[in-house]
Amino acid sequence: MGCTPLHWAVIRGSLEVCTLLVHAGTKQELTLRDRGGFTPLQLAADKGQRHLSNILSNATKVSFGDKYCSGRLGKVGYAPILFSYLVILMILFLKSIVFASDFSRITAAVGLWSWAAISLALASQVVFYRVSRNTPGYIKTNTEGLDPKELLMGIDLSSSTFTGSWSQLCPTCKIVRPVRSKHCPICKQCVEQFDHHCPWISNCVGKRNKWDFLVFLCMGIATTLLGAAVGFHRLWTEPIILSSSESWTHFMVTKHPGAVLFMFMDIFLLTGALILTVAQAVMIARNLTTNEAANQSRYTYLRGPDGRFRNPYNQGWQKNCAYFLVNGYNNDEEAAWPTLQQTVE
Ligand SMILES: [Zn+2]
Ligand SMILES: [Zn+2]
């Protein structure tokens, strides 16, 4: 029939085998067709196996990360671009806002704020270096002395971290990884409490650097906000001599091009940092990783007995945030759920 083992797992409707094969295999196997011309996904949809087709279509999807971050760009990512952007922004700030000859002399108060902005920018660069170089929580691999072709066979299933979920097995690192971790195809290692691979810091965001990542984002907001305030003040207090036909914008662009460019670049960065910070804060408050939120259907631990979404780690936003602020990572102990009897009461 030209069926692969994955086709057979779908024909038999075996969720467990299907999950195992998807985790152990490559994306290529998902695209193979049987003699009837069906891929495993099409077969699952044809047979009305909703759960199986969900798993297969999720696995087939080429994620944004895989598409834009793999290959040559891979591990280097966009961190050098972000670094250059920050340096250009700092030079523009000094040259076109603080020491600009086309502006009137800076007052002591504004000068003080400017230096605060510069100091914050330099401190942000230090945190940027830390967050991109420090481990996000890589899990030690177990590949030494093992035949690379041997897929899941080398894994010790008696490990105490194994809860029986196939998604815990990493065929690349040959380990049973803790629940909530995931293999990053760019870093080529499993990451504890994997959140996402951030191309802008050229590193994964996981259990061990989530705190640094949030600090970096908040410092980014503070710096760009301060820079924008100083820039705006400089532009606003400048005497404007407009000819009758000239608009304010045209005057500013022609008279202070550097300052206008700085404002544009600064506000662009501020917007990005704000969006990312809000997204991260919401996730921390929910005690959910970005990966879990995006791939809910892949993880059985995120489903309650009724089959609907349930986050077992969510202890309420106050407890979640407090735990994160004290420990630097989210609590990964399962919350106590009310028993059936308590619910009835
Ligand atoms: Zn791995
Ligand atoms: Zn990564």
Side-chain angles (χ1 to χ4, degrees), residues 141 170-175 177 182-184 188-191:
T141 59
C170 179
T172 317
C173 305
K174 306 267 194 293
I175 49 159
R177 55 191 169 207
K182 187 182 175 280
H183 186 84
C184 172
K188 298 187 173 63
Q189 269 192 80
C190 281
V191 179

PDB file of all heavy atoms in Angstrom, residues 141 170-175 177 182-184 188-191, ligand 1:
ATOM      1  N   THR A 141      23.132  16.595  27.241  1.00  0.00           N
ATOM      2  CA  THR A 141      22.771  15.541  26.299  1.00  0.00           C
ATOM      3  C   THR A 141      23.397  14.210  26.735  1.00  0.00           C
ATOM      4  O   THR A 141      24.251  14.186  27.612  1.00  0.00           O
ATOM      5  CB  THR A 141      23.260  15.868  24.881  1.00  0.00           C
ATOM      6  OG1 THR A 141      24.672  16.005  24.945  1.00  0.00           O
ATOM      7  CG2 THR A 141      22.643  17.145  24.356  1.00  0.00           C
ATOM      8  N   CYS A 170      13.681  13.083  23.895  1.00  0.00           N
ATOM      9  CA  CYS A 170      14.330  13.829  22.822  1.00  0.00           C
ATOM     10  C   CYS A 170      15.217  12.870  22.037  1.00  0.00           C
ATOM     11  O   CYS A 170      16.212  12.375  22.558  1.00  0.00           O
ATOM     12  CB  CYS A 170      15.164  14.975  23.361  1.00  0.00           C
ATOM     13  SG  CYS A 170      15.962  15.829  22.003  1.00  0.00           S
ATOM     14  N   PRO A 171      14.846  12.611  20.765  1.00  0.00           N
ATOM     15  CA  PRO A 171      15.631  11.683  19.959  1.00  0.00           C
ATOM     16  C   PRO A 171      17.001  12.249  19.588  1.00  0.00           C
ATOM     17  O   PRO A 171      17.906  11.500  19.262  1.00  0.00           O
ATOM     18  CB  PRO A 171      14.777  11.479  18.710  1.00  0.00           C
ATOM     19  CG  PRO A 171      13.813  12.606  18.688  1.00  0.00           C
ATOM     20  CD  PRO A 171      13.667  13.122  20.078  1.00  0.00           C
ATOM     21  N   THR A 172      17.171  13.561  19.654  1.00  0.00           N
ATOM     22  CA  THR A 172      18.460  14.164  19.306  1.00  0.00           C
ATOM     23  C   THR A 172      19.416  14.138  20.492  1.00  0.00           C
ATOM     24  O   THR A 172      20.569  13.742  20.357  1.00  0.00           O
ATOM     25  CB  THR A 172      18.263  15.616  18.822  1.00  0.00           C
ATOM     26  OG1 THR A 172      17.148  15.638  17.951  1.00  0.00           O
ATOM     27  CG2 THR A 172      19.485  16.122  18.093  1.00  0.00           C
ATOM     28  N   CYS A 173      18.935  14.579  21.651  1.00  0.00           N
ATOM     29  CA  CYS A 173      19.799  14.614  22.838  1.00  0.00           C
ATOM     30  C   CYS A 173      19.828  13.265  23.542  1.00  0.00           C
ATOM     31  O   CYS A 173      20.649  13.058  24.441  1.00  0.00           O
ATOM     32  CB  CYS A 173      19.331  15.680  23.817  1.00  0.00           C
ATOM     33  SG  CYS A 173      19.181  17.312  23.114  1.00  0.00           S
ATOM     34  N   LYS A 174      18.907  12.345  23.163  1.00  0.00           N
ATOM     35  CA  LYS A 174      18.816  11.008  23.762  1.00  0.00           C
ATOM     36  C   LYS A 174      18.575  11.081  25.272  1.00  0.00           C
ATOM     37  O   LYS A 174      19.262  10.428  26.062  1.00  0.00           O
ATOM     38  CB  LYS A 174      20.093  10.198  23.503  1.00  0.00           C
ATOM     39  CG  LYS A 174      20.488  10.108  22.042  1.00  0.00           C
ATOM     40  CD  LYS A 174      19.916   8.873  21.396  1.00  0.00           C
ATOM     41  CE  LYS A 174      20.553   8.585  20.064  1.00  0.00           C
ATOM     42  NZ  LYS A 174      20.253   9.573  19.034  1.00  0.00           N
ATOM     43  N   ILE A 175      17.645  11.887  25.659  1.00  0.00           N
ATOM     44  CA  ILE A 175      17.357  12.020  27.091  1.00  0.00           C
ATOM     45  C   ILE A 175      15.844  12.027  27.323  1.00  0.00           C
ATOM     46  O   ILE A 175      15.066  12.229  26.393  1.00  0.00           O
ATOM     47  CB  ILE A 175      17.926  13.342  27.678  1.00  0.00           C
ATOM     48  CG1 ILE A 175      17.514  14.534  26.780  1.00  0.00           C
ATOM     49  CG2 ILE A 175      19.406  13.295  27.861  1.00  0.00           C
ATOM     50  CD1 ILE A 175      17.578  15.841  27.478  1.00  0.00           C
ATOM     51  N   ARG A 177      13.527  14.395  29.041  1.00  0.00           N
ATOM     52  CA  ARG A 177      13.640  15.753  29.564  1.00  0.00           C
ATOM     53  C   ARG A 177      12.464  16.052  30.488  1.00  0.00           C
ATOM     54  O   ARG A 177      11.410  15.423  30.369  1.00  0.00           O
ATOM     55  CB  ARG A 177      13.681  16.755  28.420  1.00  0.00           C
ATOM     56  CG  ARG A 177      12.488  16.617  27.502  1.00  0.00           C
ATOM     57  CD  ARG A 177      12.644  17.400  26.233  1.00  0.00           C
ATOM     58  NE  ARG A 177      11.594  17.025  25.296  1.00  0.00           N
ATOM     59  CZ  ARG A 177      11.714  17.099  23.993  1.00  0.00           C
ATOM     60  NH1 ARG A 177      12.830  17.511  23.450  1.00  0.00           N
ATOM     61  NH2 ARG A 177      10.718  16.764  23.214  1.00  0.00           N
ATOM     62  N   LYS A 182      11.783  21.724  25.856  1.00  0.00           N
ATOM     63  CA  LYS A 182      11.630  21.426  24.436  1.00  0.00           C
ATOM     64  C   LYS A 182      13.005  21.506  23.783  1.00  0.00           C
ATOM     65  O   LYS A 182      13.885  22.216  24.271  1.00  0.00           O
ATOM     66  CB  LYS A 182      10.681  22.450  23.799  1.00  0.00           C
ATOM     67  CG  LYS A 182      10.301  22.138  22.359  1.00  0.00           C
ATOM     68  CD  LYS A 182       9.403  23.219  21.800  1.00  0.00           C
ATOM     69  CE  LYS A 182       9.103  22.996  20.334  1.00  0.00           C
ATOM     70  NZ  LYS A 182      10.177  23.440  19.451  1.00  0.00           N
ATOM     71  N   HIS A 183      13.150  20.765  22.687  1.00  0.00           N
ATOM     72  CA  HIS A 183      14.401  20.799  21.949  1.00  0.00           C
ATOM     73  C   HIS A 183      14.393  22.019  21.034  1.00  0.00           C
ATOM     74  O   HIS A 183      13.442  22.237  20.287  1.00  0.00           O
ATOM     75  CB  HIS A 183      14.548  19.525  21.129  1.00  0.00           C
ATOM     76  CG  HIS A 183      15.866  19.419  20.448  1.00  0.00           C
ATOM     77  ND1 HIS A 183      16.989  18.927  21.080  1.00  0.00           N
ATOM     78  CD2 HIS A 183      16.250  19.762  19.203  1.00  0.00           C
ATOM     79  CE1 HIS A 183      18.004  18.966  20.241  1.00  0.00           C
ATOM     80  NE2 HIS A 183      17.587  19.470  19.090  1.00  0.00           N
ATOM     81  N   CYS A 184      15.444  22.825  21.113  1.00  0.00           N
ATOM     82  CA  CYS A 184      15.526  23.977  20.205  1.00  0.00           C
ATOM     83  C   CYS A 184      16.351  23.569  18.992  1.00  0.00           C
ATOM     84  O   CYS A 184      17.523  23.208  19.125  1.00  0.00           O
ATOM     85  CB  CYS A 184      16.174  25.164  20.896  1.00  0.00           C
ATOM     86  SG  CYS A 184      16.492  26.497  19.731  1.00  0.00           S
ATOM     87  N   LYS A 188      20.241  23.460  19.080  1.00  0.00           N
ATOM     88  CA  LYS A 188      20.525  22.029  19.003  1.00  0.00           C
ATOM     89  C   LYS A 188      20.663  21.387  20.383  1.00  0.00           C
ATOM     90  O   LYS A 188      21.485  20.501  20.597  1.00  0.00           O
ATOM     91  CB  LYS A 188      21.775  21.760  18.154  1.00  0.00           C
ATOM     92  CG  LYS A 188      21.599  22.213  16.718  1.00  0.00           C
ATOM     93  CD  LYS A 188      22.750  21.802  15.852  1.00  0.00           C
ATOM     94  CE  LYS A 188      22.486  22.120  14.394  1.00  0.00           C
ATOM     95  NZ  LYS A 188      22.338  23.551  14.107  1.00  0.00           N
ATOM     96  N   GLN A 189      19.872  21.883  21.329  1.00  0.00           N
ATOM     97  CA  GLN A 189      19.850  21.291  22.671  1.00  0.00           C
ATOM     98  C   GLN A 189      18.463  21.466  23.263  1.00  0.00           C
ATOM     99  O   GLN A 189      17.711  22.353  22.841  1.00  0.00           O
ATOM    100  CB  GLN A 189      20.857  22.007  23.569  1.00  0.00           C
ATOM    101  CG  GLN A 189      22.226  21.367  23.547  1.00  0.00           C
ATOM    102  CD  GLN A 189      23.125  21.907  24.639  1.00  0.00           C
ATOM    103  OE1 GLN A 189      23.022  21.503  25.765  1.00  0.00           O
ATOM    104  NE2 GLN A 189      24.024  22.798  24.298  1.00  0.00           N
ATOM    105  N   CYS A 190      18.161  20.630  24.258  1.00  0.00           N
ATOM    106  CA  CYS A 190      16.891  20.784  24.959  1.00  0.00           C
ATOM    107  C   CYS A 190      17.026  21.892  26.004  1.00  0.00           C
ATOM    108  O   CYS A 190      18.081  22.041  26.608  1.00  0.00           O
ATOM    109  CB  CYS A 190      16.508  19.485  25.646  1.00  0.00           C
ATOM    110  SG  CYS A 190      15.801  18.293  24.517  1.00  0.00           S
ATOM    111  N   VAL A 191      15.957  22.656  26.166  1.00  0.00           N
ATOM    112  CA  VAL A 191      15.971  23.791  27.084  1.00  0.00           C
ATOM    113  C   VAL A 191      14.875  23.621  28.127  1.00  0.00           C
ATOM    114  O   VAL A 191      13.734  23.334  27.791  1.00  0.00           O
ATOM    115  CB  VAL A 191      15.752  25.112  26.314  1.00  0.00           C
ATOM    116  CG1 VAL A 191      15.730  26.293  27.273  1.00  0.00           C
ATOM    117  CG2 VAL A 191      16.810  25.297  25.253  1.00  0.00           C
TER     118      VAL A 191
HETATM  119 ZN    ZN B   1      16.988  17.716  22.669  1.00  0.00          ZN
END
